Every structure is written in C-alpha cells, then in structure tokens.
Amino acid sequence: MNAQTRPYRGRFAPSPTGELHFGSLVAAVGSFLQARARNGRWLVRIEDIDPPREVAGAASSQLKTLQSFGLVPDEPVIFQRQLGANHQQALERLLATGHAYPCGCSRSDLPADGIYPGTCRNGLPPGRTARSIRVRVDDEEIAFVDGLQGMQRQNPARQTGDFVVRRADGLVAYQLAVVVDDAASHITEVVRGADLIDSTGRQLHLYRCLGLSAPNYIHLPIVVDEQGEKLSKSTGADPIQRCNATTALRLALRALGHEPPAAKVAVADQLDWAQRHWQLTRVPRGPVAIGVQSDR
Ligand code: GLU
C-alpha cells in the first residue's frame, strides 16, 4: 500500500538540543493539525541519537512545553536512541546490497564545496582506514510533490554526493535514522519545517535502497524575525520564551495562515478552533515574518 491508502500517521520529531523553539512549535502545531484533519494519529519522537549535541533535560522540557499547548501524542513518546538495533540492521543491509561503503576520508579531505568526490567509492585507497559509512548516489533527479511547496526536483549527487549514514564517531546519521524510524512507525506524511526540504531527496533515496515505502511530505514555512533572520538563530525574539502560551500559540497559528477569533483566548479553545478550521491551502509557502512583543 502506498502512503495515500494507508491510515494516516503523522509525527513531530524534535532533537533535544535545547528548549523547544518557536519554529519547532510551528512544525508541531502544523503536523498535529494536519493529522487531526486527516482523522489520523499524531506521534512524537525525540531524536536523541546525537549525544554530543544533546542538552540534559531538553527532551523532558520539550515534552512539557508541547503538553502546555495541548499537543499530546496519541501513542507513547518514542525515543530514537532506543531504536539502535533497527539502525544497525539498516546499515548492514545497505552495506550488504552494495548501496553503502566504508569511507576513510575526514572532513579536511573534502573539497571546499563539501560535495563528496567519491574517493572511497570503489574501495579504500591504500593506507586509509574506514572512518564513516556512505551511501552511493547516482547522478539522477529525485522528484516528489510536496503537499505545500509543490513539485520538487533534487539531485543528491550534485547537492552532497555520496552521503554519510554512519559518522566517524560511530553514531548513526540523522538521514538514516529518520527514514528507518518513520518507516517503523508507519508514518504516511511527514510535516516539518522547510529548513529540512533539501534533505528529502536523500531520504527518498534511502527509502528506495532499503525497499521501504516512503511517506508524503509537507514542508511548512520557515519563521523569521522582522529582520529576516531565522527565529531559532535570534532566540531573544522567540515567542515561546517571551510570551505566554496563548500568545505563542496565536502567533504559531498566524504563521500557519490561521487566525482564531480574538474571543478564543485559552490555549485549548484556540487549538480546538484550529482543528475545526485547518486548511492546508491557507498555509503560506515562503518564510513568514512575525513581530514579537513580549507580554510576560
Ligand atoms: N530532528 C529534526 C530536527 O529537530 C527533525 C527531523 C524531521 O522532522 O525529519 O531538526
């Protein structure tokens, strides 16, 4: 069955690298409302597979923040770190089928454009030892229709070249883990921020290599401050930190093209209104700027 005919399952997948920021709230709200509109289930997966980037306590604080907005998953929260056996199995499969190979290059061996030139593609050059594992990509276009952004054409060979699926520090790379875990959770539609749209081609390539059925994708607009700076970079402007929950939710809904009537003040009322009025066609495609006045 393809993603159209399977029961709808969506998810929100934050990395526990700090407090939930406003851009993530927009992704969480958008994925939640889209799942509700499709009578589907909405899951939360904490992407905690990168201990060097993890901030202690961030996962539980993100979950608490989600809860304060009424964003409660329909199934127990999934912690990506507990799924290591699946990731390992996928790595082995990629190696066994010749889609992946050991690479002995370090970052300093890469050209300035960052595109991997294929140095270890046909075997490790003499004197090199394996550091990471890369997936082979051919020079071909991967096309997909994004539910919001429309037709997308990407060519991973020209964007990144053969890309890393197991890092030199032994950790599984995001690109592989996200594919394996979304497939294991039977996710039918990935709704996330447009900052991740460029990695979708690589992820679709992995679905194909692993013989897994790929989800549909919706990439929500990035939120910027009035100077056009991505909000996560200018944390001082983050409405989650500066405003109370009702204002932050109102701003998130506004960023998604939905404005609850002024009389809907409580978080639960706003979310309830949004569930009844959600229309993907109202969501803007491009970066949306929000002005934030602190109301704390
Ligand atoms: N964990 C990723 C992040 O927080 C998002 C993964 C995804 O939605 O595909 O940026």
Side-chain angles (χ1 to χ4, degrees), residues 98-205:
H99 287 298
Y101 60 88
C103 171
C105 300
S106 63
R107 207 175 288 258
S108 59
D109 296 318
L110 295 188
D113 64 7
I115 298 177
Y116 184 68
T119 319
C120 304
R121 232 182 181 217
N122 301 313
L124 287 171
R128 285 272 169 100
T129 46
R131 292 168 52 87
S132 60
I133 295 177
R134 286 182 189 268
V135 157
R136 230 175 263 285
V137 289
D138 296 323
D139 187 6
E140 63 169 342
E141 204 169 73
I142 297 181
F144 64 97
V145 181
D146 185 284
L148 182 63
Q149 309 293 340
M151 188 65 173
Q152 303 294 310
R153 300 176 194 281
Q154 298 181 0
N155 184 336
R158 296 185 185 194
Q159 291 171 284
T160 58
D162 297 347
F163 60 93
V164 171
V165 282
R166 199 193 68 195
R167 301 173 358 185
D169 60 8
L171 296 171
V172 170
Y174 155 69
Q175 304 293 352
L176 180 63
V178 75
V179 163
V180 170
D181 298 345
D182 280 339
S185 293
H186 305 289
I187 298 302
T188 57
E189 188 167 74
V190 168
V191 181
R192 61 185 177 190
D195 51 329
L196 290 165
I197 198 166
D198 289 345
S199 58
T200 308
R202 273 170 279 164
Q203 291 168 18
L204 286 170
H205 177 68

Side-chain angles (χ1 to χ4, degrees), residues 219-230:
H219 286 90
L220 300 171
I222 294 172
V223 186
V224 294
D225 64 17
E226 281 160 325
Q227 280 73 47
E229 188 85 35
K230 209 179 135 193

Side-chain angles (χ1 to χ4, degrees), residues 38-53:
R38 301 287 312 277
N39 293 317
R41 291 174 88 79
W42 184 71
L43 278 61
V44 171
R45 179 177 67 240
I46 299 288
E47 300 214 314
D48 55 353
I49 45 153
D50 195 347
R53 290 189 59 224

Side-chain angles (χ1 to χ4, degrees), residues 239-263:
I240 300 187
Q241 261 74 61
R242 292 179 59 126
C243 306
N244 59 36
T246 55
T247 308
L249 181 58
R250 183 171 292 277
L251 288 170
L253 289 169
R254 188 180 296 163
L256 291 165
H258 292 67
E259 178 89 36

